[in-house]
Amino acid sequence: MRKTLYIFGMTAVIAVFSSCRGGDDFTDSIFDTSVPVVDETKATYPFDQWLYENFVLPYNVDVKYHFDLSASDLNFQLTPADYNRSQLLAHFIRHLFYDVYTKYAGEDFMKKYGPRIFHFIGSSGYSPTTGTEVLGTASGGVKITLYKINEMKPYSEGVTYSGEDVNVLNENYFHTMHHEFSHVLHQTKSYPVTFGQVTSSSYDPINWQDRDSVWTHQHGYVTHYASSASYEDFVETLSCIITDTKHRWMNRIINAAAMGVRQGDKEDILELIDSLDINLDAPRSHWNNFTLYEESEYNDQTGEYDPTDRYVLDEHRLLGDPTTRAYQVVNKEATAYVDQYKYKELRKFTSFRNDFLPWVKISADDDLTGINALLKKLDIATKWYTENWGLYAFTLRREVVDRQDKINDYLKTITIYELK
């Protein structure tokens, strides 16, 4: 089973460089100005000209879609990015990333803090030795490399993007971009130390990838990678607000709340769900028809399976990654998996609002993390975002979701240039 990774390791090392960019007066270009910026003799001239007008002139950004060996990770066998898909992704980055921040933070915001280079790679960075797959890398907020471009749904006249196609865009590309951009912002204006203190005892920079989703949610983290370090936790929290689906958030909230809820947190949970624009009363929503399971582990001494304190939430579809422990019971393949690993049904729920929240225990235990820690981190991160940048993360989320919902209308307005 492959494990998908987003690699941001260089960020902390070169933070001092990226944090100095606030004084950039934009008088010097990163491009060679001794030659014409766009070569009219190239077969790619129309797209190059579009990049010049939409990225170079307004933001001083270089979009590298040609394969650049010197800028690539030589540990992987990589393939060039498809020309037409590179154009499509560039349009999406402009529409769903740059234009969103510009709308709410002003014309100069992305000019000052945005990345300077995007590098497109056609394939993923897959390591057969470790079984890991790299989807994106970022270097100090200056350069962002995006992989798996060739697995994007290709553009053709009349093409439409489904909700699942949009989810792939978020998981493969935009989560990486919002994550790294949040690093740039917090390296410019430090995030509160109180954020890391919420779950200070459980960060693990070495073995974070061995943790499953249920563990991370029940200990107050939005993702596995968030549990590696406080600064990664901070930016993962903001990125997940902007890019994660409603279903993923409900899965996260239910897992985190299953251990227990402190007095007063129920109102905050409902407020969070409302901020995510989730309709709890939608009759066909999975959070009004779900099951929690208790996981059992085999005991060599007794020859029996002993229950642990973990829970699982079923989904509408098999996720494909057993470490998420999230399956739909009616799915034949998922049922077999549940039987194989001796998951025991704990309780069925027909309504999150009416059944689940009243069911979970109320606790004043100081050691209890889960939803309480998650709520605290969300509050600290979103307040920092607003107080320092005038941005409200949930507003950005709504803008992104609205644009993604209308992505097929946007596709009708773009031009994809064929090679001359």
Side-chain angles (χ1 to χ4, degrees):
M1 182 66 65
R2 294 186 182 184
K3 289 187 177 180
T4 301
L5 307 179
Y6 303 93
I7 304 299
F8 309 103
M10 290 296 294
T11 306
V13 177
I14 55 178
V16 63
F17 296 101
S18 58
S19 64
C20 294
R21 292 173 54 213
D24 189 351
D25 60 7
F26 308 110
T27 58
D28 297 324
S29 174
I30 65 172
F31 302 97
D32 182 1
T33 57
S34 64
V35 296
V37 289
V38 181
D39 187 349
E40 296 184 15
T41 65
K42 282 187 174 182
T44 58
Y45 166 71
F47 178 44
D48 294 338
Q49 181 64 30
W50 184 89
L51 288 175
Y52 179 72
E53 294 172 355
N54 287 272
F55 283 91
V56 177
L57 281 180
Y59 301 111
N60 197 26
V61 174
D62 183 14
V63 177
K64 291 180 176 290
Y65 65 92
H66 297 287
F67 190 76
D68 187 342
L69 182 63
S70 63
S72 303
D73 190 332
L74 301 182
N75 292 311
F76 304 124
Q77 292 185 350
L78 304 173
T79 58
D82 176 77
Y83 178 59
N84 284 0
R85 287 180 173 88
S86 294
Q87 294 183 63
L88 188 57
L89 182 56
H91 278 282
F92 285 153
I93 290 174
R94 176 63 196 258
H95 183 60
L96 299 173
F97 186 70
Y98 278 87
D99 288 355
V100 169
Y101 281 105
T102 297
K103 177 177 179 178
Y104 291 98
E107 291 291 332
D108 291 335
F109 185 72
M110 293 303 288
K111 296 178 183 179
K112 188 173 184 179
Y113 300 110
R116 289 292 172 258
I117 299 171
F118 280 98
H119 186 204
F120 294 172
I121 300 292
S123 57
S124 66
Y126 175 65
S127 171
T129 303
T130 62
T132 58
E133 181 183 30
V134 176
L135 296 183
T137 62
S139 302
V142 176
K143 172 188 167 187
I144 294 178
T145 300
L146 300 173
Y147 293 80
K148 296 182 74 171
I149 307 303
N150 295 350
E151 295 191 18
M152 282 181 60
K153 187 172 185 175
Y155 175 86
S156 60
E157 188 173 352
V159 69
T160 58
Y161 260 60
S162 66
E164 185 59 32
D165 295 326
V166 171
N167 290 342
V168 171
L169 290 178
N170 283 331
E171 292 176 10
N172 287 358
Y173 317 116
F174 288 96
H175 181 88
T176 302
M177 289 190 289
H178 287 287
H179 175 114
E180 175 58 20
F181 188 52
S182 296
H183 269 313
V184 174
L185 297 181
H186 85 66
Q187 290 162 5
T188 304
K189 297 182 181 180
S190 298
Y191 66 90
V193 295
T194 53
F195 181 91
Q197 293 171 349
V198 176
T199 54
S200 59
S201 62
S202 55
Y203 289 113
D204 187 348
I206 306 300
N207 300 309
W208 61 267
Q209 68 273 11
D210 296 330
R211 295 168 166 175
D212 63 35
S213 295
V214 175
W215 188 98
T216 56
H217 298 159
Q218 291 186 347
H219 287 77
Y221 299 105
V222 288
T223 65
H224 309 64
Y225 191 56
S227 71
S228 65
S230 63
Y231 52 89
E232 301 298 356
D233 191 9
F234 186 77
V235 298
E236 278 286 275
T237 298
L238 291 170
S239 183
C240 285
I241 290 174
I242 299 171
T243 64
D244 274 5
T245 63
K246 296 177 182 180
H247 178 274
R248 181 166 291 180
W249 266 106
M250 280 303 297
N251 187 41
R252 182 177 288 135
I253 291 168
I254 291 172
N255 282 336
M259 293 179 67
V261 178
R262 284 191 173 93
Q263 187 69 43
D265 281 349
K266 288 185 179 181
E267 291 76 12
D268 292 331
I269 293 172
L270 293 173
E271 183 178 346
L272 168 61
I273 291 172
D274 185 61
S275 298
L276 293 164
D277 296 320
I278 296 173
N279 180 7
L280 278 179
D281 303 312
R284 296 178 62 86
S285 61
H286 81 277
W287 43 83
N288 284 330
N289 183 21
F290 63 93
T291 307
L292 289 181
Y293 293 92
E294 189 174 26
E295 181 189 14
S296 297
E297 293 184 352
Y298 187 73
N299 188 317
D300 291 326
Q301 294 180 343
T302 64
E304 298 178 352
Y305 285 88
D306 299 327
T308 68
D309 61 353
R310 293 183 182 175
Y311 304 89
V312 293
L313 166 70
D314 62 338
E315 287 202 356
H316 283 296
R317 60 186 177 84
L318 184 67
L319 289 181
D321 180 2
T323 62
T324 63
R325 309 192 189 285
Y327 300 94
Q328 182 183 21
V329 183
V330 297
N331 181 297
K332 189 174 182 180
E333 184 178 356
T335 303
Y337 185 85
V338 169
D339 291 341
Q340 176 187 356
Y341 287 89
K342 305 298 180 183
Y343 286 113
K344 300 195 306 183
E345 182 179 304
L346 185 63
R347 183 162 178 161
K348 289 183 179 292
F349 298 92
T350 58
S351 169
F352 177 84
R353 185 195 299 276
N354 298 326
D355 297 338
F356 181 79
L357 279 181
W359 173 77
V360 294
K361 63 183 179 181
I362 302 296
S363 175
D365 184 357
D366 291 336
D367 294 330
L368 185 68
T369 53
I371 192 66
N372 180 263
L374 192 61
L375 290 170
K376 286 181 179 178
K377 290 180 181 179
L378 287 166
D379 181 61
I380 295 171
T382 53
K383 282 183 177 178
W384 173 89
Y385 217 37
T386 302
E387 291 171 358
N388 288 278
W389 308 104
L391 294 169
Y392 186 50
F394 291 102
T395 299
L396 294 179
R397 173 189 176 84
R398 293 190 186 99
E399 181 70 25
V400 168
V401 169
D402 182 62
R403 288 174 181 243
Q404 290 175 343
D405 287 343
K406 300 174 183 176
I407 198 68
N408 290 311
D409 292 332
Y410 175 70
L411 286 172
K412 296 175 184 178
T413 69
I414 70 174
T415 300
I416 301 296
Y417 301 101
E418 299 296 330
L419 290 172
K420 287 184 178 181

